[in-house]
Amino acid sequence: MKRVQALLVILAFGLAACAPLVSVKTQRPAFVPVAAAAAADKAPRDDPLAVLGRQLTAARAAAATLQKNPADGNARRTYNYSVARALETIQSNQLNPWDAPLKVPGPDGEYILAAKIRPGSEYNPGNYTIVPTDTVRIGGKYFTERDTEAGVGAPIVAVGRGQAAKYRETFAMPRVYISRTAVIRFHRYHAQFEFIDPFSTDTFEMNGRRQPLAADFSTFMAMAMARERPDRLGLIRMLRPARFSDTARLTRLQPYDPARIPVLFVHGLQDTPASWAPMVNSLLADPQIRKRYQFWVYSYPSGYPYPYSASLLRKELDAVAKAFPNHKKIVLVGHSMGGIISRLMVTDAGDRLWRIYFGESPTETKYVGPTRKIAEDALIFNHRPDVSRVVFICAPHRGSLLASNWIGRLGSRLIKPPQLFTDIRNAAFSLITADPGALKVNGLPNSIDTLAPNNRFVREINKIPITPGIPYHTILGDRGRGDSPNSSDGVVPYWSAHLDDAESEDIVPAWHTALSNPKTIEDVRRILKQHAISTNN
């Protein structure tokens, strides 16, 4: 019976997928090189330095041509191809020009190959597996388009070897996947590698000329998703949140840049940050967005009651402020339950909710023990001064009937609440006063329970307005029926997602998964561009 119930929940939440979310496969580079590069390809494989010398010769000749004629497409392709193949030769033969100059014999002379590397192991190419992106084919449901920029250089993905040091303190991914563009600068027979961040610049200087920088903004994210598989945690984290408590964290998708506005994406019930991949991939295709913004995600076990998940996010934001005290104010983008978590970031509740639950002020409540702090963090809060704007996508502000019907009840019974919530419930039972306004705790709420329209928290939080001065936007789905205001995205009805004072409201022809709908993405792009103008960034 339990297996049947689990299957019903899986079907109810739409987890069955016909196509993989992301696919990453190895391919041969498509470019057919000119004679010099072809000669390097045909050089004897048992002499890697000779192969590398020919690749450097081809790249040097192409660079000289580009100095005279930057528009020479054949020279550009030859240069990019030769740089990428040189990296492959270095890596496959364990050559090391990163720590000390390497002497490389060429057809017409000996090269001194070195690298321009910033101090610190984080920037040493020897600490990464380097993958030229022309050897990778990406696809799947989440990557229908590849975001690239034409230019000079070999786009690569640098993959960390092992777990990144202090990744939690710096909000990095546990294993680093970085998008870079490799170039080689030549001065006679001195060749110097450099790895340029395409998020920071779109040009570079070579031989006294500015050249457009080639870039690939999709492959690093596709490789990270294909190898790390964050999407696998969606259902199990909803059903068994306590087992995955350490996965509640905020993560940067790019190197931190104090000049860029952080956009923080918050996923919904039974979901993971992977669901934002289509939107992030599309937004990165816009040079104006890349120039002004950096993307972050908040991941959490969605079986938790959402006020608790919101308290965990507040702690993460406090840690971000400590690690990056000069960061710009954040734009929150929340989908479904992630939207109502985001709503709590811009709400001044004070101790009002505590009084509703316990019938008295926090100082009067005789509640001691380790779970008191957890209850305080979930029920006593004010708006975040580091949040400047919010975009709500299919957010059930007033709850969803799906949470209270048979599907929701079935899903709720399958969620195993953490022991700490049992402790809070028991403490609440012993402390509830005779005040008829106090909440009578008759059950142990989980994430689905706190999405029901008749949930006490849902009703009370909607009596508190969003803090004035923080603009917000709503994006809603109507399944293409055009029946607003009686519409629904199949999970959240219009009456629940609509907010009277939203700066903009857009109804898109989509179901509840509207966050990947092209019109939704276009609306988020418009909002971000307007926000950048309004904040003079």
Side-chain angles (χ1 to χ4, degrees):
M1 182 63 179
K2 288 184 177 180
R3 293 178 64 184
V4 174
Q5 289 178 334
L7 178 60
L8 286 173
V9 172
I10 291 172
L11 293 175
F13 285 98
L15 296 181
C18 298
L21 298 181
V22 57
S23 66
V24 174
K25 298 180 180 179
T26 302
Q27 67 177 10
R28 290 176 62 98
F31 172 58
V32 179
V34 295
D41 284 349
K42 296 177 181 178
R45 298 290 108 178
D46 59 354
D47 189 351
L49 285 176
V51 174
L52 181 57
R54 290 176 180 269
Q55 290 163 340
L56 294 176
T57 297
R60 179 169 174 256
T65 301
L66 288 172
Q67 183 179 16
K68 299 175 182 177
N69 182 11
D72 190 317
N74 202 40
R76 179 184 294 181
R77 288 188 292 272
T78 299
Y79 177 86
N80 297 353
Y81 179 90
S82 300
V83 171
R85 303 293 75 77
L87 283 170
E88 288 183 316
T89 299
I90 290 168
Q91 185 159 259
S92 62
N93 294 280
Q94 299 181 336
L95 304 177
N96 186 13
W98 320 125
D99 296 329
L102 180 67
K103 294 182 178 181
V104 183
D108 301 319
E110 185 177 70
Y111 290 93
I112 302 299
L113 180 62
K116 181 180 180 180
I117 301 174
R118 293 170 60 186
S121 62
E122 179 183 356
Y123 302 101
N124 190 328
N127 295 329
Y128 298 86
T129 298
I130 296 174
V131 182
T133 63
D134 65 357
T135 66
V136 179
R137 183 170 71 253
I138 66 173
K141 180 180 176 182
Y142 281 176
F143 289 90
T144 57
E145 295 182 0
R146 189 168 185 162
D147 174 22
T148 61
E149 289 288 339
V152 177
I156 64 154
V157 177
V159 183
R161 291 175 175 161
Q163 185 170 285
K166 298 182 179 180
Y167 71 91
R168 280 193 172 274
E169 292 90 335
T170 60
F171 302 92
M173 290 184 281
R175 184 185 298 274
V176 175
Y177 292 79
I178 305 175
S179 176
R180 288 290 186 267
T181 301
V183 300
I184 304 176
R185 291 187 174 89
F186 292 91
H187 180 68
R188 299 177 64 85
Y189 283 92
H190 286 266
Q192 184 182 63
F193 264 109
E194 183 175 353
F195 296 87
I196 302 174
D197 180 3
F199 290 99
S200 298
T201 183
D202 53 10
T203 65
F204 77 105
E205 184 275 329
M206 185 171 71
N207 296 333
R209 276 186 181 272
R210 299 301 299 180
Q211 297 281 358
L213 185 72
D216 185 323
F217 299 104
S218 298
T219 303
F220 83 100
M221 191 164 46
M223 286 183 63
M225 284 186 58
R227 294 186 179 186
E228 307 301 328
R229 291 299 308 277
D231 54 289
R232 291 184 298 183
L233 292 176
L235 177 62
I236 190 63
R237 289 200 306 175
M238 181 185 77
L239 299 179
R240 299 292 183 268
R243 282 176 51 189
F244 299 92
S245 60
D246 63 337
T247 66
R249 59 185 301 263
L250 199 156
T251 304
R252 293 180 285 111
L253 300 183
Q254 305 163 227
Y256 172 71
D257 185 347
R260 286 180 168 81
I261 302 169
V263 178
L264 174 52
F265 296 99
V266 186
H267 66 77
L269 179 69
Q270 191 286 120
D271 222 334
T272 71
S275 63
W276 294 107
M279 180 174 291
V280 172
N281 189 48
S282 182
L283 292 175
L284 286 176
D286 191 313
Q288 293 181 350
I289 297 293
R290 288 199 304 269
K291 182 179 180 180
R292 292 170 171 81
Y293 291 97
Q294 56 188 310
F295 296 126
W296 300 52
V297 292
Y298 175 52
S299 181
Y300 62 98
S302 65
Y304 287 148
Y306 84 86
Y308 177 68
S309 297
S311 73
L312 297 180
L313 175 55
R314 283 190 285 270
K315 291 179 180 178
E316 287 290 290
L317 291 174
D318 288 342
V320 169
K322 184 177 180 180
F324 305 114
N326 58 345
H327 78 76
K328 292 184 179 294
K329 288 192 174 184
I330 297 166
V331 176
L332 284 175
V333 182
H335 171 248
S336 191
M337 190 165 73
I340 54 179
I341 288 174
S342 300
R343 193 247 200 258
L344 300 188
M345 300 301 110
V346 290
T347 303
D348 289 313
D351 65 1
R352 174 173 173 173
L353 295 168
W354 180 279
R355 290 174 178 273
I356 290 170
Y357 271 71
F358 292 99
E360 55 191 5
S361 71
T363 56
E364 296 171 320
T365 305
K366 297 177 178 60
Y367 178 1
V368 295
T371 59
R372 170 160 183 144
K373 184 65 168 63
I374 295 171
E376 287 179 342
D377 290 343
L379 297 176
I380 304 173
F381 55 87
N382 288 308
H383 80 279
R384 298 289 310 189
D386 49 1
V387 173
S388 59
R389 188 178 297 266
V390 186
V391 181
F392 301 112
I393 303 175
C394 300
H397 296 289
R398 299 172 187 86
S400 170
L401 295 176
L402 188 66
S404 53
N405 67 15
W406 71 270
I407 296 176
R409 292 193 299 272
L410 172 58
S412 181
R413 285 198 295 271
L414 290 175
I415 295 175
K416 184 178 180 179
Q419 179 62 39
L420 64 91
F421 294 153
T422 303
D423 296 341
I424 292 173
R425 173 180 178 270
N426 292 340
F429 266 131
S430 68
L431 292 167
I432 291 299
T433 70
D435 184 346
L439 174 65
K440 302 302 186 291
V441 185
N442 296 320
L444 191 61
N446 54 47
S447 58
I448 294 179
D449 299 325
T450 52
L451 292 177
N454 62 349
N455 178 268
R456 187 69 173 270
F457 188 93
V458 171
R459 296 203 310 268
E460 294 300 330
I461 197 65
N462 277 285
K463 296 177 184 178
I464 306 174
I466 291 175
T467 301
I470 303 176
Y472 53 92
H473 309 257
T474 58
I475 301 175
L476 307 78
D478 68 356
R479 295 175 286 174
R481 297 183 177 184
D483 54 349
S484 174
N486 300 312
S487 59
S488 168
D489 63 19
V491 175
V492 179
Y494 178 88
W495 56 261
S496 180
H498 169 77
L499 295 174
D500 287 337
D501 296 323
E503 191 166 284
S504 68
E505 178 179 274
D506 193 17
I507 301 174
V508 299
W511 290 70
H512 190 60
T513 54
L515 73 168
S516 58
N517 183 275
K519 288 197 173 184
T520 300
I521 296 172
E522 184 56 39
D523 205 35
V524 172
R525 179 183 289 109
R526 173 189 61 81
I527 292 167
L528 292 180
K529 287 184 176 181
Q530 289 180 349
H531 179 76
I533 294 172
S534 68
T535 55
N536 296 316
N537 283 294

